[in-house]
Every structure is written in C-alpha cells, then in structure tokens.
Amino acid sequence: MSTRLSPAEDFPEDLTTLDLPAVEVLNSKIHRELDYEYAHDGEPSLETEIRHEELTEELDRRDKQPESTPVRPDVAEPARRFS
C-alpha cells in the first residue's frame, strides 16, 4: 500500500460519500504527495493541488457540522462543581 496518491491514481468523485477516516487517509496521502512533488519536481502538479483543495473544503465542511449529543454527557464533559 502506498502512502502517497499520485495524480495518475484514482480519486473519489464525491468525498461526501466517504466516512471521516477515509477522508483523513486521503488527506494524508495527498499531503505526502505534495511533499514528494515539491522535493522531486520543485512544484506540485495541478491535479494534486486540486485534490488538496477538495479535501480541505470537505474537511472544513465536516468541521462546521453540528456534532451529535453524546449518550452520556457526563463522560464526555465532567460535571463542574462550584463552591
């Protein structure tokens, strides 16, 4: 398994259909590809830049979504005591 995703490799058309871990893995692979292209070519390919922008937009979109309420809020956020 490669840790990079070259411009020649397939990329999902719709990132919204992927779960968060899959988007995060793609993001990591694209970042590694950007590093590789800068080191070997001096600049990234247009395809890699476009993919990076799409992933950034998708992750930003997901960050803005309201999260579901935890089943046990006292576990997620301990109760505060006031004296």
Side-chain angles (χ1 to χ4, degrees):
M1 180 168 106
S2 177
T3 60
R4 296 183 290 114
L5 188 67
S6 76
E9 294 178 84
D10 290 338
F11 187 79
E13 287 185 35
D14 185 3
L15 296 172
T16 63
T17 62
L18 302 176
D19 61 0
L20 181 58
V23 175
E24 290 173 336
V25 167
L26 275 175
N27 188 52
S28 176
K29 287 183 173 190
I30 291 300
H31 275 272
R32 290 188 48 79
E33 181 64 23
L34 283 169
D35 292 343
Y36 176 84
E37 290 174 7
Y38 275 117
H40 289 86
D41 303 328
E43 64 183 9
S45 74
L46 180 59
E47 184 64 26
T48 303
E49 286 182 317
I50 291 169
R51 290 174 174 189
H52 177 252
E53 181 62 28
E54 288 178 12
L55 283 161
T56 299
E57 289 174 2
E58 179 59 21
L59 288 169
D60 288 348
R61 183 190 69 78
R62 290 177 188 224
D63 282 344
K64 292 177 185 173
Q65 287 181 340
E67 295 185 38
S68 60
T69 306
V71 177
R72 293 189 55 204
D74 58 314
V75 172
E77 194 173 315
R80 297 182 185 169
R81 295 185 183 167
F82 298 96
S83 19

